[in-house]
Amino acid sequence: MNEGMVSADDGATHGDLERSVSAPPDQADVDRTLSHEEFDPKGTLALILVYFAILVGMWVFMYFVEFLGNGLTVVG
Amino acid sequence: MSTGSGAATFVDRYPEEASIVRQAFFVAFVAFGLGALFGVIQALHRTDILRFIPSTDYYTVLTAHGVLLVIVFTIFFLVGLFQWAITRSFDRPVEDIRITKAWLALMSVGSVVTGVTILLGFVDEVGISADVLFTFYAPLQAHPLFYAGLAVFLVGTWIAGADWFRSWLAWNAEHPDDRIPLQAFVVLTTMLMWYIATIGVAVAVLFFLLPWSLGLIETVNPLLTRTLFWFFGHPVVYFWLMPAYLLWYTVLPKIAGGRLFSDPLARVVFVLFLLLSTPVGIHHQYLDPGIAESFKFIAMTNTMFLLLPSLLTAFTVVASVEHGARQRGGTGLFGWLRALPWRDPAFTGMMLAGLMFAAGGFSGMINAGMNINYLVHNTLWVPGHFHLTVGTAVALTMMAGTYWLWPQLTNRRLYSRPIGLLQVVVWFGGMALMSNAMHVSGLYGIPRRTAEPQYQGFDFSTAFGSVAELNVQLAIGGTLLFVSALLFLANLAFSWGNPTTSGLGQTLPPALSGPDDSPRVLDNMRLWAAIALVLVALAYALPLGAIVADSGLFGPGGDAYPVTVVLNSVAVTAERLTASVGATLADVGGVLEVIR
Ligand code: HEM
Ligand SMILES: [Cu+2]
């Protein structure tokens, strides 16, 4: 955690020991300001792909555990 | 570095409204504390680790747990949060504070009446009880006060919604060309959904269950009242979720140090919830006899469409957090995650809640599939699922959100941020254990809503581990959750002792892509309400018609289980019925389904 991160200063008044307010009052102290055009959420895409991979894995797992091990369920 | 001379807080600008929000939160947290106590009692009781109560009282505990947590806690938090959101985002005081006080009072009186009626179930001498669980299916019958309290509570929420629509109209008159601010947009779409959803439960309670428990009508049609309950019962889960979404969309990006990625996408999500959350209720009735498979199939299809707004939410919210991380200097494909304010309990709490929601998404897809549902129906898997969703995604977000909101509502600091951080982490860990144990137990057929799920001469077979291990895991998880709840409440109680300070105010940044990037039609509440009503009519007209045609408005007759008069607990009844049907596990599931 380097300087300038929110946790380093959370908007508490000066000299207070217990910092108990979340986030700074405004975002004047961010490292850089990213506009809509400059920001490309590729990390988000990566995380969502990981989530999908887990989902697919769970489905496959479920198929083996629950269906191959049990008899048929007949609807109707 | 910020100077500490923050903007004015909410309570500085709107002291009367802030007081309403605090009162609503107060009721919510009292209900939460009681509910958590009952939760740990259940967790220890049904695993046979420690039994404080006779098993015949289990349903009193379980009813109180369900009602206090998913009706009182969540909805009082919701109205408090929504009042804050409306006042803050329109930046105007309530039109008439007396009305605002009136709905809060109605909701409170209703909750107390219903709550006390449930708790009287512990006192045999009084002869009043309402051990009907939060789903109150006929033929289980409660004392009339249970339904009456519920009705008063509902009327309170309706007036609350009207109050917020009134604020919107007044604001709109002064700002005819402005887009509805996002927070208000969430409130208005959610309340439209609520009005539509509560038609079902209001009809069930006012026309059938209340007159029936008063003795005005002899019988009810259990399938009809069940179907009306689930007409309400699915959208209510989105009603619980929308306050969490409001916090994720409008507060979390700020705490992360970023801005909401897309306001238009957010609007689309909330409109989709309004349209899709009601015509799916039959997915809770896949195993109900008397509803044609085709209607169930339609409900399943609609349900799968409902995944869309949740996936859009995952994308928008995570992208907003990533924006914060990158503004804070984070880099790399995953490295940005380290640049986030993990020491902040409000942030970490909401992120952990979101993570659990993603896991709940998986078990939800299992529940939603018509055939896979047969595997888990009425087993402990189901509470395993919804403790991830409402029990964590919603409840933990509400607690985390409270850490952020607290100074805005009181001008006081939080007593301790480290304890807050510990609290949210313990909740996450406790829930991981409890929910995992519940899911696995459910897969082995262990039923939910059972005080003593041990059947003589029957062994639950497990593929790995043992039932004893699962029970210990469940009990430890439940205990951790209870400890976490106490930490939360104690932290808030101590915070009340902090002196008031000035300069704690915070502002919420605008979205990266603002509302002007979206078509105005998104703000057309009339249009969306009309389409939602049409979809509901399409999904429900035929099934409801068929149910009434089959066995009439008041059913084919049959006895109520007047748990009010004979103190004949449902557990005992279940045992009796079970014995007569032959105690195979499948039968137990079926019987529970029928008497439930
Ligand atoms: C201290 C934390 C909690 C513990 C230890 C706990 C424990 C449990 C257990 C063991 C059950 C299953 C009982 C059974 O089926 O026999 C249950 C049911 C339930 N819980 Fe929780 N829970 C907790 C928190 C919550 C929260 C925060 C919510 C929602 C906001 C919630 C909502 C429910 C609901 C709706 C039921 C189903 C009631 C019914 O079947 O009628 N719980 N809980
Ligand atoms: Cu549902």
Side-chain angles (χ1 to χ4, degrees), chain B residues 32 36 39-40 42-43 46 58 62 65-66 69-70 73-74 133-134 380 383 386-387 390-391 395 427 434 438 448-450 474 478 481-482:
Chain B
F32 174 69
V40 72
Q42 288 159 200
R46 55 168 294 140
Y58 190 76
L62 192 54
H65 179 75
L69 286 169
V70 297
F73 163 55
T74 47
L133 307 181
F134 81 105
L380 209 48
F386 62 64
H387 282 87
V390 66
W427 188 276
M434 185 172 92
M438 284 175 156
R448 68 185 281 208
R449 292 181 158 173
T450 307
L474 197 160
L481 287 168
F482 181 62

Side-chain angles (χ1 to χ4, degrees), chain B residues 208-222:
Chain B
F208 298 104
L209 299 173
L210 182 57
W212 175 59
S213 85
L214 284 168
L216 299 177
I217 54 177
E218 285 278 294
T219 55
V220 295
N221 179 344

Side-chain angles (χ1 to χ4, degrees), chain A residues 6 9-10 13-14 16 18-25 27 31-32 34 39 43-44 51 58 62 73 75, chain B residues 2-3 254 258 293 319 322-323 326-328 330 333 336 340 344 358 362 366 374 404 413-414 417 506-507:
Chain A
V6 172
D9 182 290
D10 50 22
T13 34
H14 306 286
D16 260 26
E18 171 55 26
R19 304 180 185 284
S20 55
V21 184
S22 291
Q27 285 168 0
D31 276 18
R32 53 183 166 177
L34 288 176
F39 171 54
T44 300
Y51 178 59
M58 304 262 287
M62 180 197 69
T73 302
V75 178
Chain B
S2 58
T3 61
K254 188 246 157 53
E293 294 293 327
E322 183 184 352
H323 179 251
R326 301 222 181 264
Q327 289 207 133
R328 297 157 64 91
L333 197 57
W336 55 274
L340 289 164
D344 181 342
F362 177 74
I366 299 283
Y374 289 9
W404 182 81
R413 293 167 189 290
L414 194 62
R417 290 220 309 171
Q506 305 217 340
T507 51

Side-chain angles (χ1 to χ4, degrees), chain B residues 274-290:
Chain B
L274 165 60
L275 297 185
L276 292 176
S277 55
T278 312
V280 296
I282 289 177
H283 70 206
H284 291 265
Q285 299 178 280
Y286 286 149
L287 280 178
D288 277 21

